[in-house]
PDB file of all heavy atoms in Angstrom:
ATOM      1  N   ALA A   1       4.073  32.578   8.515  1.00 97.00           N
ATOM      2  CA  ALA A   1       3.693  33.975   8.757  1.00 97.00           C
ATOM      3  C   ALA A   1       4.299  34.888   7.697  1.00 97.00           C
ATOM      4  O   ALA A   1       3.638  35.823   7.208  1.00 97.00           O
ATOM      5  CB  ALA A   1       4.140  34.408  10.149  1.00 97.00           C
ATOM      6  N   GLU A   2       5.541  34.634   7.331  1.00 98.00           N
ATOM      7  CA  GLU A   2       6.199  35.452   6.307  1.00 98.00           C
ATOM      8  C   GLU A   2       5.536  35.274   4.946  1.00 98.00           C
ATOM      9  O   GLU A   2       5.403  36.231   4.172  1.00 98.00           O
ATOM     10  CB  GLU A   2       7.679  35.102   6.235  1.00 98.00           C
ATOM     11  CG  GLU A   2       8.512  35.608   7.406  1.00 98.00           C
ATOM     12  CD  GLU A   2       8.381  34.788   8.675  1.00 98.00           C
ATOM     13  OE1 GLU A   2       7.736  33.705   8.629  1.00 98.00           O
ATOM     14  OE2 GLU A   2       8.900  35.202   9.719  1.00 98.00           O
ATOM     15  N   ALA A   3       5.105  34.040   4.651  1.00 98.00           N
ATOM     16  CA  ALA A   3       4.408  33.797   3.383  1.00 98.00           C
ATOM     17  C   ALA A   3       3.104  34.588   3.319  1.00 98.00           C
ATOM     18  O   ALA A   3       2.770  35.199   2.292  1.00 98.00           O
ATOM     19  CB  ALA A   3       4.135  32.305   3.214  1.00 98.00           C
ATOM     20  N   ALA A   4       2.374  34.600   4.438  1.00 97.00           N
ATOM     21  CA  ALA A   4       1.121  35.366   4.479  1.00 97.00           C
ATOM     22  C   ALA A   4       1.390  36.862   4.311  1.00 97.00           C
ATOM     23  O   ALA A   4       0.606  37.580   3.665  1.00 97.00           O
ATOM     24  CB  ALA A   4       0.402  35.100   5.802  1.00 97.00           C
ATOM     25  N   GLU A   5       2.486  37.337   4.870  1.00 98.00           N
ATOM     26  CA  GLU A   5       2.856  38.743   4.710  1.00 98.00           C
ATOM     27  C   GLU A   5       3.121  39.074   3.241  1.00 98.00           C
ATOM     28  O   GLU A   5       2.715  40.138   2.750  1.00 98.00           O
ATOM     29  CB  GLU A   5       4.092  39.042   5.556  1.00 98.00           C
ATOM     30  CG  GLU A   5       4.531  40.485   5.536  1.00 98.00           C
ATOM     31  CD  GLU A   5       5.735  40.731   6.433  1.00 98.00           C
ATOM     32  OE1 GLU A   5       5.949  39.943   7.385  1.00 98.00           O
ATOM     33  OE2 GLU A   5       6.480  41.704   6.179  1.00 98.00           O
ATOM     34  N   CYS A   6       3.792  38.180   2.541  1.00 98.00           N
ATOM     35  CA  CYS A   6       4.022  38.378   1.100  1.00 98.00           C
ATOM     36  C   CYS A   6       2.697  38.460   0.348  1.00 98.00           C
ATOM     37  O   CYS A   6       2.516  39.312  -0.527  1.00 98.00           O
ATOM     38  CB  CYS A   6       4.864  37.235   0.545  1.00 98.00           C
ATOM     39  SG  CYS A   6       6.580  37.196   1.085  1.00 98.00           S
ATOM     40  N   THR A   7       1.774  37.563   0.687  1.00 97.00           N
ATOM     41  CA  THR A   7       0.480  37.558   0.007  1.00 97.00           C
ATOM     42  C   THR A   7      -0.260  38.875   0.221  1.00 97.00           C
ATOM     43  O   THR A   7      -0.888  39.410  -0.701  1.00 97.00           O
ATOM     44  CB  THR A   7      -0.371  36.378   0.510  1.00 97.00           C
ATOM     45  OG1 THR A   7       0.314  35.155   0.215  1.00 97.00           O
ATOM     46  CG2 THR A   7      -1.737  36.365  -0.154  1.00 97.00           C
ATOM     47  N   ARG A   8      -0.162  39.424   1.422  1.00 98.00           N
ATOM     48  CA  ARG A   8      -0.889  40.667   1.729  1.00 98.00           C
ATOM     49  C   ARG A   8      -0.382  41.862   0.934  1.00 98.00           C
ATOM     50  O   ARG A   8      -1.076  42.873   0.803  1.00 98.00           O
ATOM     51  CB  ARG A   8      -0.817  40.965   3.229  1.00 98.00           C
ATOM     52  CG  ARG A   8      -1.672  40.028   4.080  1.00 98.00           C
ATOM     53  CD  ARG A   8      -1.836  40.563   5.488  1.00 98.00           C
ATOM     54  NE  ARG A   8      -0.575  40.629   6.216  1.00 98.00           N
ATOM     55  CZ  ARG A   8      -0.073  39.650   6.958  1.00 98.00           C
ATOM     56  NH1 ARG A   8      -0.733  38.489   7.046  1.00 98.00           N
ATOM     57  NH2 ARG A   8       1.071  39.788   7.599  1.00 98.00           N
ATOM     58  N   THR A   9       0.817  41.776   0.369  1.00 98.00           N
ATOM     59  CA  THR A   9       1.311  42.908  -0.422  1.00 98.00           C
ATOM     60  C   THR A   9       0.488  43.104  -1.688  1.00 98.00           C
ATOM     61  O   THR A   9       0.429  44.217  -2.222  1.00 98.00           O
ATOM     62  CB  THR A   9       2.784  42.707  -0.828  1.00 98.00           C
ATOM     63  OG1 THR A   9       2.890  41.607  -1.757  1.00 98.00           O
ATOM     64  CG2 THR A   9       3.675  42.463   0.381  1.00 98.00           C
ATOM     65  N   GLY A  10      -0.114  42.028  -2.193  1.00 97.00           N
ATOM     66  CA  GLY A  10      -0.864  42.123  -3.430  1.00 97.00           C
ATOM     67  C   GLY A  10      -0.008  42.482  -4.637  1.00 97.00           C
ATOM     68  O   GLY A  10      -0.516  42.945  -5.659  1.00 97.00           O
ATOM     69  N   HIS A  11       1.283  42.247  -4.546  1.00 98.00           N
ATOM     70  CA  HIS A  11       2.208  42.665  -5.598  1.00 98.00           C
ATOM     71  C   HIS A  11       2.022  41.838  -6.875  1.00 98.00           C
ATOM     72  O   HIS A  11       1.519  40.710  -6.860  1.00 98.00           O
ATOM     73  CB  HIS A  11       3.653  42.536  -5.108  1.00 98.00           C
ATOM     74  CG  HIS A  11       4.660  43.221  -5.974  1.00 98.00           C
ATOM     75  ND1 HIS A  11       5.189  42.643  -7.097  1.00 98.00           N
ATOM     76  CD2 HIS A  11       5.211  44.459  -5.895  1.00 98.00           C
ATOM     77  CE1 HIS A  11       6.045  43.472  -7.661  1.00 98.00           C
ATOM     78  NE2 HIS A  11       6.079  44.591  -6.953  1.00 98.00           N
ATOM     79  N   GLN A  12       2.493  42.413  -7.975  1.00 96.00           N
ATOM     80  CA  GLN A  12       2.417  41.774  -9.289  1.00 96.00           C
ATOM     81  C   GLN A  12       3.040  40.380  -9.299  1.00 96.00           C
ATOM     82  O   GLN A  12       2.580  39.495 -10.031  1.00 96.00           O
ATOM     83  CB  GLN A  12       3.121  42.659 -10.325  1.00 96.00           C
ATOM     84  CG  GLN A  12       3.295  42.015 -11.696  1.00 96.00           C
ATOM     85  CD  GLN A  12       4.380  42.679 -12.515  1.00 96.00           C
ATOM     86  OE1 GLN A  12       5.066  43.578 -12.018  1.00 96.00           O
ATOM     87  NE2 GLN A  12       4.548  42.258 -13.755  1.00 96.00           N
ATOM     88  N   VAL A  13       4.088  40.132  -8.493  1.00 97.00           N
ATOM     89  CA  VAL A  13       4.744  38.823  -8.535  1.00 97.00           C
ATOM     90  C   VAL A  13       3.798  37.708  -8.119  1.00 97.00           C
ATOM     91  O   VAL A  13       3.979  36.547  -8.517  1.00 97.00           O
ATOM     92  CB  VAL A  13       6.017  38.787  -7.652  1.00 97.00           C
ATOM     93  CG1 VAL A  13       7.052  39.778  -8.150  1.00 97.00           C
ATOM     94  CG2 VAL A  13       5.679  39.028  -6.182  1.00 97.00           C
ATOM     95  N   LEU A  14       2.752  38.045  -7.342  1.00 97.00           N
ATOM     96  CA  LEU A  14       1.793  37.031  -6.912  1.00 97.00           C
ATOM     97  C   LEU A  14       0.981  36.487  -8.080  1.00 97.00           C
ATOM     98  O   LEU A  14       0.464  35.366  -8.020  1.00 97.00           O
ATOM     99  CB  LEU A  14       0.860  37.610  -5.851  1.00 97.00           C
ATOM    100  CG  LEU A  14       1.529  38.081  -4.555  1.00 97.00           C
ATOM    101  CD1 LEU A  14       0.527  38.830  -3.702  1.00 97.00           C
ATOM    102  CD2 LEU A  14       2.119  36.907  -3.794  1.00 97.00           C
ATOM    103  N   TYR A  15       0.882  37.279  -9.135  1.00 95.00           N
ATOM    104  CA  TYR A  15       0.176  36.860 -10.345  1.00 95.00           C
ATOM    105  C   TYR A  15       0.761  35.565 -10.893  1.00 95.00           C
ATOM    106  O   TYR A  15       0.048  34.753 -11.484  1.00 95.00           O
ATOM    107  CB  TYR A  15       0.301  37.989 -11.381  1.00 95.00           C
ATOM    108  CG  TYR A  15      -0.315  37.736 -12.735  1.00 95.00           C
ATOM    109  CD1 TYR A  15      -1.608  38.165 -13.036  1.00 95.00           C
ATOM    110  CD2 TYR A  15       0.412  37.097 -13.752  1.00 95.00           C
ATOM    111  CE1 TYR A  15      -2.165  37.953 -14.295  1.00 95.00           C
ATOM    112  CE2 TYR A  15      -0.137  36.885 -15.009  1.00 95.00           C
ATOM    113  CZ  TYR A  15      -1.431  37.317 -15.266  1.00 95.00           C
ATOM    114  OH  TYR A  15      -1.965  37.101 -16.508  1.00 95.00           O
ATOM    115  N   TYR A  16       2.064  35.356 -10.674  1.00 95.00           N
ATOM    116  CA  TYR A  16       2.759  34.207 -11.255  1.00 95.00           C
ATOM    117  C   TYR A  16       2.921  33.044 -10.273  1.00 95.00           C
ATOM    118  O   TYR A  16       3.623  32.079 -10.564  1.00 95.00           O
ATOM    119  CB  TYR A  16       4.121  34.645 -11.794  1.00 95.00           C
ATOM    120  CG  TYR A  16       3.974  35.728 -12.846  1.00 95.00           C
ATOM    121  CD1 TYR A  16       4.267  37.050 -12.553  1.00 95.00           C
ATOM    122  CD2 TYR A  16       3.468  35.427 -14.111  1.00 95.00           C
ATOM    123  CE1 TYR A  16       4.099  38.055 -13.507  1.00 95.00           C
ATOM    124  CE2 TYR A  16       3.290  36.415 -15.063  1.00 95.00           C
ATOM    125  CZ  TYR A  16       3.596  37.725 -14.751  1.00 95.00           C
ATOM    126  OH  TYR A  16       3.400  38.706 -15.689  1.00 95.00           O
ATOM    127  N   ILE A  17       2.264  33.133  -9.108  1.00 95.00           N
ATOM    128  CA  ILE A  17       2.311  32.014  -8.154  1.00 95.00           C
ATOM    129  C   ILE A  17       0.914  31.684  -7.637  1.00 95.00           C
ATOM    130  O   ILE A  17       0.743  31.251  -6.500  1.00 95.00           O
ATOM    131  CB  ILE A  17       3.277  32.293  -6.986  1.00 95.00           C
ATOM    132  CG1 ILE A  17       2.952  33.618  -6.290  1.00 95.00           C
ATOM    133  CG2 ILE A  17       4.714  32.274  -7.469  1.00 95.00           C
ATOM    134  CD1 ILE A  17       3.793  33.860  -5.041  1.00 95.00           C
ATOM    135  N   GLY A  18      -0.095  31.928  -8.466  1.00 93.00           N
ATOM    136  CA  GLY A  18      -1.459  31.574  -8.090  1.00 93.00           C
ATOM    137  C   GLY A  18      -2.117  32.515  -7.111  1.00 93.00           C
ATOM    138  O   GLY A  18      -3.154  32.190  -6.529  1.00 93.00           O
ATOM    139  N   GLY A  19      -1.510  33.680  -6.886  1.00 95.00           N
ATOM    140  CA  GLY A  19      -2.109  34.681  -6.014  1.00 95.00           C
ATOM    141  C   GLY A  19      -1.748  34.558  -4.554  1.00 95.00           C
ATOM    142  O   GLY A  19      -2.051  35.454  -3.757  1.00 95.00           O
ATOM    143  N   VAL A  20      -1.096  33.450  -4.166  1.00 95.00           N
ATOM    144  CA  VAL A  20      -0.780  33.199  -2.757  1.00 95.00           C
ATOM    145  C   VAL A  20       0.657  32.718  -2.645  1.00 95.00           C
ATOM    146  O   VAL A  20       1.066  31.791  -3.345  1.00 95.00           O
ATOM    147  CB  VAL A  20      -1.738  32.148  -2.150  1.00 95.00           C
ATOM    148  CG1 VAL A  20      -1.377  31.864  -0.697  1.00 95.00           C
ATOM    149  CG2 VAL A  20      -3.190  32.604  -2.260  1.00 95.00           C
ATOM    150  N   MET A  21       1.428  33.344  -1.760  1.00 97.00           N
ATOM    151  CA  MET A  21       2.799  32.898  -1.511  1.00 97.00           C
ATOM    152  C   MET A  21       2.782  31.655  -0.630  1.00 97.00           C
ATOM    153  O   MET A  21       2.062  31.585   0.375  1.00 97.00           O
ATOM    154  CB  MET A  21       3.598  34.004  -0.826  1.00 97.00           C
ATOM    155  CG  MET A  21       5.039  33.634  -0.508  1.00 97.00           C
ATOM    156  SD  MET A  21       6.078  33.389  -1.973  1.00 97.00           S
ATOM    157  CE  MET A  21       6.280  35.100  -2.506  1.00 97.00           C
ATOM    158  N   SER A  22       3.582  30.667  -0.989  1.00 96.00           N
ATOM    159  CA  SER A  22       3.690  29.433  -0.212  1.00 96.00           C
ATOM    160  C   SER A  22       4.922  29.475   0.695  1.00 96.00           C
ATOM    161  O   SER A  22       5.985  29.961   0.279  1.00 96.00           O
ATOM    162  CB  SER A  22       3.806  28.229  -1.148  1.00 96.00           C
ATOM    163  OG  SER A  22       4.181  27.060  -0.425  1.00 96.00           O
ATOM    164  N   PRO A  23       4.828  28.932   1.913  1.00 96.00           N
ATOM    165  CA  PRO A  23       6.015  28.847   2.773  1.00 96.00           C
ATOM    166  C   PRO A  23       7.067  27.895   2.231  1.00 96.00           C
ATOM    167  O   PRO A  23       8.191  27.873   2.739  1.00 96.00           O
ATOM    168  CB  PRO A  23       5.454  28.350   4.112  1.00 96.00           C
ATOM    169  CG  PRO A  23       4.194  27.634   3.749  1.00 96.00           C
ATOM    170  CD  PRO A  23       3.629  28.391   2.576  1.00 96.00           C
ATOM    171  N   GLU A  24       6.724  27.117   1.183  1.00 96.00           N
ATOM    172  CA  GLU A  24       7.703  26.225   0.571  1.00 96.00           C
ATOM    173  C   GLU A  24       8.588  26.951  -0.431  1.00 96.00           C
ATOM    174  O   GLU A  24       9.569  26.381  -0.915  1.00 96.00           O
ATOM    175  CB  GLU A  24       6.975  25.057  -0.104  1.00 96.00           C
ATOM    176  CG  GLU A  24       6.239  24.167   0.891  1.00 96.00           C
ATOM    177  CD  GLU A  24       5.405  23.082   0.245  1.00 96.00           C
ATOM    178  OE1 GLU A  24       5.607  22.812  -0.952  1.00 96.00           O
ATOM    179  OE2 GLU A  24       4.549  22.494   0.938  1.00 96.00           O
ATOM    180  N   MET A  25       8.258  28.214  -0.747  1.00 97.00           N
ATOM    181  CA  MET A  25       9.087  28.998  -1.660  1.00 97.00           C
ATOM    182  C   MET A  25      10.205  29.685  -0.894  1.00 97.00           C
ATOM    183  O   MET A  25      10.235  29.702   0.350  1.00 97.00           O
ATOM    184  CB  MET A  25       8.206  29.995  -2.416  1.00 97.00           C
ATOM    185  CG  MET A  25       7.217  29.301  -3.342  1.00 97.00           C
ATOM    186  SD  MET A  25       6.176  30.461  -4.253  1.00 97.00           S
ATOM    187  CE  MET A  25       5.231  29.312  -5.263  1.00 97.00           C
ATOM    188  N   GLU A  26      11.144  30.284  -1.630  1.00 98.00           N
ATOM    189  CA  GLU A  26      12.364  30.756  -0.994  1.00 98.00           C
ATOM    190  C   GLU A  26      12.243  32.127  -0.328  1.00 98.00           C
ATOM    191  O   GLU A  26      12.882  32.382   0.694  1.00 98.00           O
ATOM    192  CB  GLU A  26      13.512  30.779  -2.015  1.00 98.00           C
ATOM    193  CG  GLU A  26      13.715  29.476  -2.801  1.00 98.00           C
ATOM    194  CD  GLU A  26      13.971  28.241  -1.956  1.00 98.00           C
ATOM    195  OE1 GLU A  26      13.755  28.275  -0.735  1.00 98.00           O
ATOM    196  OE2 GLU A  26      14.379  27.220  -2.528  1.00 98.00           O
ATOM    197  N   VAL A  27      11.439  33.027  -0.883  1.00 98.00           N
ATOM    198  CA  VAL A  27      11.363  34.381  -0.327  1.00 98.00           C
ATOM    199  C   VAL A  27      10.912  34.373   1.131  1.00 98.00           C
ATOM    200  O   VAL A  27      11.560  35.005   1.981  1.00 98.00           O
ATOM    201  CB  VAL A  27      10.474  35.278  -1.207  1.00 98.00           C
ATOM    202  CG1 VAL A  27      10.117  36.571  -0.478  1.00 98.00           C
ATOM    203  CG2 VAL A  27      11.190  35.604  -2.518  1.00 98.00           C
ATOM    204  N   PRO A  28       9.810  33.680   1.503  1.00 98.00           N
ATOM    205  CA  PRO A  28       9.460  33.668   2.931  1.00 98.00           C
ATOM    206  C   PRO A  28      10.509  33.006   3.803  1.00 98.00           C
ATOM    207  O   PRO A  28      10.741  33.444   4.946  1.00 98.00           O
ATOM    208  CB  PRO A  28       8.127  32.915   2.968  1.00 98.00           C
ATOM    209  CG  PRO A  28       7.990  32.242   1.654  1.00 98.00           C
ATOM    210  CD  PRO A  28       8.776  33.033   0.676  1.00 98.00           C
ATOM    211  N   LYS A  29      11.191  31.972   3.298  1.00 98.00           N
ATOM    212  CA  LYS A  29      12.265  31.351   4.074  1.00 98.00           C
ATOM    213  C   LYS A  29      13.392  32.351   4.321  1.00 98.00           C
ATOM    214  O   LYS A  29      13.982  32.410   5.417  1.00 98.00           O
ATOM    215  CB  LYS A  29      12.794  30.110   3.343  1.00 98.00           C
ATOM    216  CG  LYS A  29      11.862  28.897   3.364  1.00 98.00           C
ATOM    217  CD  LYS A  29      12.490  27.714   2.657  1.00 98.00           C
ATOM    218  CE  LYS A  29      11.762  26.410   2.909  1.00 98.00           C
ATOM    219  NZ  LYS A  29      10.501  26.285   2.208  1.00 98.00           N
ATOM    220  N   LEU A  30      13.718  33.145   3.311  1.00 98.00           N
ATOM    221  CA  LEU A  30      14.761  34.153   3.462  1.00 98.00           C
ATOM    222  C   LEU A  30      14.340  35.238   4.444  1.00 98.00           C
ATOM    223  O   LEU A  30      15.161  35.739   5.231  1.00 98.00           O
ATOM    224  CB  LEU A  30      15.099  34.759   2.098  1.00 98.00           C
ATOM    225  CG  LEU A  30      15.814  33.816   1.125  1.00 98.00           C
ATOM    226  CD1 LEU A  30      15.769  34.371  -0.289  1.00 98.00           C
ATOM    227  CD2 LEU A  30      17.251  33.582   1.558  1.00 98.00           C
ATOM    228  N   MET A  31      13.078  35.632   4.406  1.00 98.00           N
ATOM    229  CA  MET A  31      12.564  36.603   5.378  1.00 98.00           C
ATOM    230  C   MET A  31      12.721  36.065   6.795  1.00 98.00           C
ATOM    231  O   MET A  31      13.160  36.772   7.706  1.00 98.00           O
ATOM    232  CB  MET A  31      11.094  36.911   5.078  1.00 98.00           C
ATOM    233  CG  MET A  31      10.844  37.650   3.785  1.00 98.00           C
ATOM    234  SD  MET A  31       9.089  37.633   3.316  1.00 98.00           S
ATOM    235  CE  MET A  31       8.352  38.581   4.657  1.00 98.00           C
ATOM    236  N   TRP A  32      12.353  34.787   6.980  1.00 98.00           N
ATOM    237  CA  TRP A  32      12.490  34.170   8.302  1.00 98.00           C
ATOM    238  C   TRP A  32      13.952  34.157   8.743  1.00 98.00           C
ATOM    239  O   TRP A  32      14.264  34.473   9.902  1.00 98.00           O
ATOM    240  CB  TRP A  32      11.942  32.742   8.264  1.00 98.00           C
ATOM    241  CG  TRP A  32      11.942  32.075   9.607  1.00 98.00           C
ATOM    242  CD1 TRP A  32      10.922  32.012  10.492  1.00 98.00           C
ATOM    243  CD2 TRP A  32      13.054  31.397  10.235  1.00 98.00           C
ATOM    244  NE1 TRP A  32      11.300  31.338  11.632  1.00 98.00           N
ATOM    245  CE2 TRP A  32      12.607  30.961  11.501  1.00 98.00           C
ATOM    246  CE3 TRP A  32      14.361  31.137   9.856  1.00 98.00           C
ATOM    247  CZ2 TRP A  32      13.431  30.255  12.375  1.00 98.00           C
ATOM    248  CZ3 TRP A  32      15.197  30.444  10.738  1.00 98.00           C
ATOM    249  CH2 TRP A  32      14.735  30.009  11.975  1.00 98.00           C
TER     250      TRP A  32
END
């Protein structure tokens, strides 16, 4: 759920991760 929330921001950082945040990355884990 946190990964999907990151994706919905549409922020510039998504440009460097294929446009979609993965739950395997650290930012959504930290949010959780």
Side-chain angles (χ1 to χ4, degrees):
E2 287 78 8
E5 183 178 336
C6 290
T7 299
R8 288 194 296 270
T9 67
H11 193 276
Q12 171 200 5
V13 298
L14 298 171
Y15 178 95
Y16 301 105
I17 54 174
V20 178
M21 179 67 73
S22 168
E24 295 175 16
M25 294 180 177
E26 309 302 14
V27 166
K29 287 182 167 74
L30 291 165
M31 293 167 65
W32 185 95

